[in-house]
PDB file of all heavy atoms in Angstrom:
ATOM      1  N   VAL A 173      94.528  92.689  83.052  1.00 93.00           N
ATOM      2  CA  VAL A 173      94.020  92.856  84.406  1.00 93.00           C
ATOM      3  C   VAL A 173      94.143  94.325  84.800  1.00 93.00           C
ATOM      4  O   VAL A 173      95.129  94.987  84.485  1.00 93.00           O
ATOM      5  CB  VAL A 173      94.773  91.938  85.403  1.00 93.00           C
ATOM      6  CG1 VAL A 173      96.260  92.231  85.403  1.00 93.00           C
ATOM      7  CG2 VAL A 173      94.193  92.052  86.799  1.00 93.00           C
ATOM      8  N   PHE A 174      93.089  94.839  85.481  1.00 94.00           N
ATOM      9  CA  PHE A 174      93.046  96.220  85.938  1.00 94.00           C
ATOM     10  C   PHE A 174      93.084  96.245  87.464  1.00 94.00           C
ATOM     11  O   PHE A 174      92.411  95.448  88.122  1.00 94.00           O
ATOM     12  CB  PHE A 174      91.767  96.906  85.453  1.00 94.00           C
ATOM     13  CG  PHE A 174      91.712  97.107  83.968  1.00 94.00           C
ATOM     14  CD1 PHE A 174      91.408  96.057  83.123  1.00 94.00           C
ATOM     15  CD2 PHE A 174      91.960  98.355  83.421  1.00 94.00           C
ATOM     16  CE1 PHE A 174      91.350  96.245  81.748  1.00 94.00           C
ATOM     17  CE2 PHE A 174      91.901  98.557  82.054  1.00 94.00           C
ATOM     18  CZ  PHE A 174      91.602  97.496  81.210  1.00 94.00           C
ATOM     19  N   TYR A 175      93.855  97.206  88.011  1.00 94.00           N
ATOM     20  CA  TYR A 175      93.955  97.375  89.460  1.00 94.00           C
ATOM     21  C   TYR A 175      93.436  98.768  89.813  1.00 94.00           C
ATOM     22  O   TYR A 175      93.992  99.778  89.366  1.00 94.00           O
ATOM     23  CB  TYR A 175      95.403  97.238  89.920  1.00 94.00           C
ATOM     24  CG  TYR A 175      96.051  95.923  89.535  1.00 94.00           C
ATOM     25  CD1 TYR A 175      96.811  95.834  88.365  1.00 94.00           C
ATOM     26  CD2 TYR A 175      95.897  94.783  90.316  1.00 94.00           C
ATOM     27  CE1 TYR A 175      97.407  94.630  88.002  1.00 94.00           C
ATOM     28  CE2 TYR A 175      96.496  93.580  89.956  1.00 94.00           C
ATOM     29  CZ  TYR A 175      97.245  93.514  88.797  1.00 94.00           C
ATOM     30  OH  TYR A 175      97.830  92.326  88.428  1.00 94.00           O
ATOM     31  N   THR A 176      92.368  98.805  90.613  1.00 92.00           N
ATOM     32  CA  THR A 176      91.773 100.074  91.017  1.00 92.00           C
ATOM     33  C   THR A 176      91.518 100.036  92.519  1.00 92.00           C
ATOM     34  O   THR A 176      91.771  99.028  93.187  1.00 92.00           O
ATOM     35  CB  THR A 176      90.435 100.305  90.291  1.00 92.00           C
ATOM     36  OG1 THR A 176      89.476  99.351  90.784  1.00 92.00           O
ATOM     37  CG2 THR A 176      90.589 100.133  88.780  1.00 92.00           C
ATOM     38  N   ASP A 177      90.996 101.146  93.056  1.00 91.00           N
ATOM     39  CA  ASP A 177      90.655 101.162  94.477  1.00 91.00           C
ATOM     40  C   ASP A 177      89.613 100.094  94.792  1.00 91.00           C
ATOM     41  O   ASP A 177      89.641  99.472  95.858  1.00 91.00           O
ATOM     42  CB  ASP A 177      90.113 102.539  94.864  1.00 91.00           C
ATOM     43  CG  ASP A 177      91.179 103.620  94.813  1.00 91.00           C
ATOM     44  OD1 ASP A 177      92.369 103.262  94.844  1.00 91.00           O
ATOM     45  OD2 ASP A 177      90.827 104.813  94.727  1.00 91.00           O
ATOM     46  N   LYS A 178      88.685  99.872  93.862  1.00 92.00           N
ATOM     47  CA  LYS A 178      87.649  98.871  94.068  1.00 92.00           C
ATOM     48  C   LYS A 178      88.183  97.460  93.879  1.00 92.00           C
ATOM     49  O   LYS A 178      87.694  96.513  94.507  1.00 92.00           O
ATOM     50  CB  LYS A 178      86.484  99.120  93.099  1.00 92.00           C
ATOM     51  CG  LYS A 178      85.296  98.197  93.317  1.00 92.00           C
ATOM     52  CD  LYS A 178      84.139  98.546  92.392  1.00 92.00           C
ATOM     53  CE  LYS A 178      82.955  97.611  92.614  1.00 92.00           C
ATOM     54  NZ  LYS A 178      81.813  97.938  91.715  1.00 92.00           N
ATOM     55  N   TYR A 179      89.172  97.313  93.005  1.00 94.00           N
ATOM     56  CA  TYR A 179      89.734  95.986  92.717  1.00 94.00           C
ATOM     57  C   TYR A 179      91.246  96.012  92.925  1.00 94.00           C
ATOM     58  O   TYR A 179      92.026  95.889  91.968  1.00 94.00           O
ATOM     59  CB  TYR A 179      89.419  95.575  91.282  1.00 94.00           C
ATOM     60  CG  TYR A 179      87.948  95.515  90.955  1.00 94.00           C
ATOM     61  CD1 TYR A 179      87.327  96.532  90.237  1.00 94.00           C
ATOM     62  CD2 TYR A 179      87.176  94.430  91.366  1.00 94.00           C
ATOM     63  CE1 TYR A 179      85.972  96.478  89.940  1.00 94.00           C
ATOM     64  CE2 TYR A 179      85.817  94.364  91.073  1.00 94.00           C
ATOM     65  CZ  TYR A 179      85.231  95.397  90.354  1.00 94.00           C
ATOM     66  OH  TYR A 179      83.888  95.344  90.059  1.00 94.00           O
ATOM     67  N   PRO A 180      91.711  96.158  94.180  1.00 95.00           N
ATOM     68  CA  PRO A 180      93.163  96.228  94.424  1.00 95.00           C
ATOM     69  C   PRO A 180      93.889  94.934  94.074  1.00 95.00           C
ATOM     70  O   PRO A 180      95.073  94.961  93.718  1.00 95.00           O
ATOM     71  CB  PRO A 180      93.242  96.535  95.930  1.00 95.00           C
ATOM     72  CG  PRO A 180      91.933  96.056  96.496  1.00 95.00           C
ATOM     73  CD  PRO A 180      90.926  96.300  95.420  1.00 95.00           C
ATOM     74  N   THR A 181      93.198  93.807  94.183  1.00 94.00           N
ATOM     75  CA  THR A 181      93.800  92.525  93.822  1.00 94.00           C
ATOM     76  C   THR A 181      93.787  92.307  92.321  1.00 94.00           C
ATOM     77  O   THR A 181      94.576  91.526  91.786  1.00 94.00           O
ATOM     78  CB  THR A 181      93.060  91.366  94.532  1.00 94.00           C
ATOM     79  OG1 THR A 181      93.048  91.619  95.934  1.00 94.00           O
ATOM     80  CG2 THR A 181      93.755  90.026  94.290  1.00 94.00           C
ATOM     81  N   GLY A 182      92.888  92.992  91.637  1.00 94.00           N
ATOM     82  CA  GLY A 182      92.836  92.923  90.183  1.00 94.00           C
ATOM     83  C   GLY A 182      91.499  92.455  89.652  1.00 94.00           C
ATOM     84  O   GLY A 182      90.801  91.643  90.271  1.00 94.00           O
ATOM     85  N   LEU A 183      91.122  93.004  88.505  1.00 95.00           N
ATOM     86  CA  LEU A 183      89.951  92.562  87.756  1.00 95.00           C
ATOM     87  C   LEU A 183      90.476  92.050  86.418  1.00 95.00           C
ATOM     88  O   LEU A 183      90.950  92.839  85.595  1.00 95.00           O
ATOM     89  CB  LEU A 183      88.970  93.714  87.549  1.00 95.00           C
ATOM     90  CG  LEU A 183      87.652  93.371  86.847  1.00 95.00           C
ATOM     91  CD1 LEU A 183      86.798  92.447  87.708  1.00 95.00           C
ATOM     92  CD2 LEU A 183      86.873  94.646  86.513  1.00 95.00           C
ATOM     93  N   ALA A 184      90.422  90.743  86.214  1.00 94.00           N
ATOM     94  CA  ALA A 184      91.000  90.120  85.023  1.00 94.00           C
ATOM     95  C   ALA A 184      89.946  89.921  83.939  1.00 94.00           C
ATOM     96  O   ALA A 184      88.790  89.609  84.240  1.00 94.00           O
ATOM     97  CB  ALA A 184      91.626  88.772  85.385  1.00 94.00           C
ATOM     98  N   PHE A 185      90.365  90.103  82.686  1.00 93.00           N
ATOM     99  CA  PHE A 185      89.468  89.936  81.544  1.00 93.00           C
ATOM    100  C   PHE A 185      89.935  88.802  80.655  1.00 93.00           C
ATOM    101  O   PHE A 185      91.133  88.668  80.368  1.00 93.00           O
ATOM    102  CB  PHE A 185      89.395  91.231  80.729  1.00 93.00           C
ATOM    103  CG  PHE A 185      88.568  92.294  81.371  1.00 93.00           C
ATOM    104  CD1 PHE A 185      89.108  93.095  82.364  1.00 93.00           C
ATOM    105  CD2 PHE A 185      87.249  92.487  81.013  1.00 93.00           C
ATOM    106  CE1 PHE A 185      88.349  94.075  82.977  1.00 93.00           C
ATOM    107  CE2 PHE A 185      86.474  93.459  81.619  1.00 93.00           C
ATOM    108  CZ  PHE A 185      87.025  94.255  82.605  1.00 93.00           C
ATOM    109  N   PHE A 186      88.956  87.997  80.237  1.00 92.00           N
ATOM    110  CA  PHE A 186      89.233  86.876  79.347  1.00 92.00           C
ATOM    111  C   PHE A 186      88.354  86.973  78.108  1.00 92.00           C
ATOM    112  O   PHE A 186      87.172  87.304  78.196  1.00 92.00           O
ATOM    113  CB  PHE A 186      88.960  85.545  80.058  1.00 92.00           C
ATOM    114  CG  PHE A 186      89.883  85.255  81.201  1.00 92.00           C
ATOM    115  CD1 PHE A 186      89.634  85.762  82.472  1.00 92.00           C
ATOM    116  CD2 PHE A 186      91.016  84.468  81.010  1.00 92.00           C
ATOM    117  CE1 PHE A 186      90.482  85.510  83.526  1.00 92.00           C
ATOM    118  CE2 PHE A 186      91.867  84.199  82.061  1.00 92.00           C
ATOM    119  CZ  PHE A 186      91.606  84.715  83.325  1.00 92.00           C
ATOM    120  N   TYR A 187      88.947  86.666  76.966  1.00 90.00           N
ATOM    121  CA  TYR A 187      88.204  86.582  75.711  1.00 90.00           C
ATOM    122  C   TYR A 187      87.769  85.131  75.549  1.00 90.00           C
ATOM    123  O   TYR A 187      88.596  84.211  75.570  1.00 90.00           O
ATOM    124  CB  TYR A 187      89.082  87.011  74.551  1.00 90.00           C
ATOM    125  CG  TYR A 187      88.557  86.661  73.188  1.00 90.00           C
ATOM    126  CD1 TYR A 187      87.431  87.290  72.665  1.00 90.00           C
ATOM    127  CD2 TYR A 187      89.188  85.695  72.420  1.00 90.00           C
ATOM    128  CE1 TYR A 187      86.954  86.968  71.409  1.00 90.00           C
ATOM    129  CE2 TYR A 187      88.728  85.365  71.154  1.00 90.00           C
ATOM    130  CZ  TYR A 187      87.609  86.004  70.656  1.00 90.00           C
ATOM    131  OH  TYR A 187      87.143  85.686  69.413  1.00 90.00           O
ATOM    132  N   VAL A 188      86.460  84.929  75.419  1.00 91.00           N
ATOM    133  CA  VAL A 188      85.896  83.577  75.370  1.00 91.00           C
ATOM    134  C   VAL A 188      85.138  83.390  74.060  1.00 91.00           C
ATOM    135  O   VAL A 188      84.383  84.270  73.637  1.00 91.00           O
ATOM    136  CB  VAL A 188      84.935  83.340  76.560  1.00 91.00           C
ATOM    137  CG1 VAL A 188      84.367  81.933  76.507  1.00 91.00           C
ATOM    138  CG2 VAL A 188      85.660  83.576  77.874  1.00 91.00           C
ATOM    139  N   LYS A 189      85.337  82.255  73.446  1.00 89.00           N
ATOM    140  CA  LYS A 189      84.643  81.945  72.203  1.00 89.00           C
ATOM    141  C   LYS A 189      83.972  80.589  72.327  1.00 89.00           C
ATOM    142  O   LYS A 189      84.578  79.623  72.791  1.00 89.00           O
ATOM    143  CB  LYS A 189      85.627  81.929  71.031  1.00 89.00           C
ATOM    144  CG  LYS A 189      84.978  81.742  69.667  1.00 89.00           C
ATOM    145  CD  LYS A 189      86.019  81.841  68.560  1.00 89.00           C
ATOM    146  CE  LYS A 189      85.370  81.704  67.191  1.00 89.00           C
ATOM    147  NZ  LYS A 189      86.377  81.812  66.097  1.00 89.00           N
ATOM    148  N   ASP A 190      82.676  80.534  71.942  1.00 86.00           N
ATOM    149  CA  ASP A 190      81.987  79.258  71.865  1.00 86.00           C
ATOM    150  C   ASP A 190      81.109  79.265  70.618  1.00 86.00           C
ATOM    151  O   ASP A 190      81.200  80.163  69.777  1.00 86.00           O
ATOM    152  CB  ASP A 190      81.179  78.970  73.139  1.00 86.00           C
ATOM    153  CG  ASP A 190      80.014  79.932  73.341  1.00 86.00           C
ATOM    154  OD1 ASP A 190      79.721  80.743  72.426  1.00 86.00           O
ATOM    155  OD2 ASP A 190      79.394  79.874  74.404  1.00 86.00           O
ATOM    156  N   MET A 191      80.253  78.279  70.487  1.00 85.00           N
ATOM    157  CA  MET A 191      79.440  78.149  69.279  1.00 85.00           C
ATOM    158  C   MET A 191      78.449  79.310  69.129  1.00 85.00           C
ATOM    159  O   MET A 191      78.021  79.635  68.025  1.00 85.00           O
ATOM    160  CB  MET A 191      78.670  76.823  69.303  1.00 85.00           C
ATOM    161  CG  MET A 191      79.562  75.588  69.190  1.00 85.00           C
ATOM    162  SD  MET A 191      80.396  75.497  67.590  1.00 85.00           S
ATOM    163  CE  MET A 191      78.990  75.168  66.506  1.00 85.00           C
ATOM    164  N   LYS A 192      78.102  79.953  70.228  1.00 81.00           N
ATOM    165  CA  LYS A 192      77.104  81.025  70.188  1.00 81.00           C
ATOM    166  C   LYS A 192      77.700  82.399  69.913  1.00 81.00           C
ATOM    167  O   LYS A 192      76.989  83.326  69.542  1.00 81.00           O
ATOM    168  CB  LYS A 192      76.334  81.054  71.504  1.00 81.00           C
ATOM    169  CG  LYS A 192      75.500  79.799  71.757  1.00 81.00           C
ATOM    170  CD  LYS A 192      74.745  79.922  73.056  1.00 81.00           C
ATOM    171  CE  LYS A 192      73.900  78.680  73.324  1.00 81.00           C
ATOM    172  NZ  LYS A 192      73.173  78.788  74.621  1.00 81.00           N
ATOM    173  N   GLY A 193      79.002  82.572  70.123  1.00 84.00           N
ATOM    174  CA  GLY A 193      79.596  83.872  69.875  1.00 84.00           C
ATOM    175  C   GLY A 193      80.893  84.086  70.632  1.00 84.00           C
ATOM    176  O   GLY A 193      81.548  83.132  71.059  1.00 84.00           O
ATOM    177  N   GLU A 194      81.230  85.361  70.799  1.00 87.00           N
ATOM    178  CA  GLU A 194      82.466  85.755  71.462  1.00 87.00           C
ATOM    179  C   GLU A 194      82.135  86.724  72.595  1.00 87.00           C
ATOM    180  O   GLU A 194      81.242  87.560  72.459  1.00 87.00           O
ATOM    181  CB  GLU A 194      83.410  86.427  70.450  1.00 87.00           C
ATOM    182  CG  GLU A 194      83.746  85.536  69.261  1.00 87.00           C
ATOM    183  CD  GLU A 194      84.462  86.307  68.167  1.00 87.00           C
ATOM    184  OE1 GLU A 194      85.472  86.981  68.482  1.00 87.00           O
ATOM    185  OE2 GLU A 194      84.008  86.248  67.014  1.00 87.00           O
ATOM    186  N   TYR A 195      82.880  86.608  73.689  1.00 84.00           N
ATOM    187  CA  TYR A 195      82.565  87.394  74.878  1.00 84.00           C
ATOM    188  C   TYR A 195      83.844  87.861  75.558  1.00 84.00           C
ATOM    189  O   TYR A 195      84.901  87.242  75.436  1.00 84.00           O
ATOM    190  CB  TYR A 195      81.782  86.563  75.904  1.00 84.00           C
ATOM    191  CG  TYR A 195      80.674  85.725  75.319  1.00 84.00           C
ATOM    192  CD1 TYR A 195      80.929  84.455  74.824  1.00 84.00           C
ATOM    193  CD2 TYR A 195      79.363  86.205  75.255  1.00 84.00           C
ATOM    194  CE1 TYR A 195      79.909  83.674  74.276  1.00 84.00           C
ATOM    195  CE2 TYR A 195      78.355  85.442  74.712  1.00 84.00           C
ATOM    196  CZ  TYR A 195      78.628  84.179  74.222  1.00 84.00           C
ATOM    197  OH  TYR A 195      77.625  83.414  73.679  1.00 84.00           O
TER     198      TYR A 195
END
Side-chain angles (χ1 to χ4, degrees):
V173 59
F174 292 77
Y175 303 95
T176 69
D177 292 341
K178 185 176 180 180
Y179 301 102
T181 305
L183 184 66
F185 285 82
F186 294 85
Y187 166 69
V188 180
K189 185 176 182 179
D190 66 8
M191 293 295 291
K192 295 181 180 179
E194 302 170 52
Y195 316 86

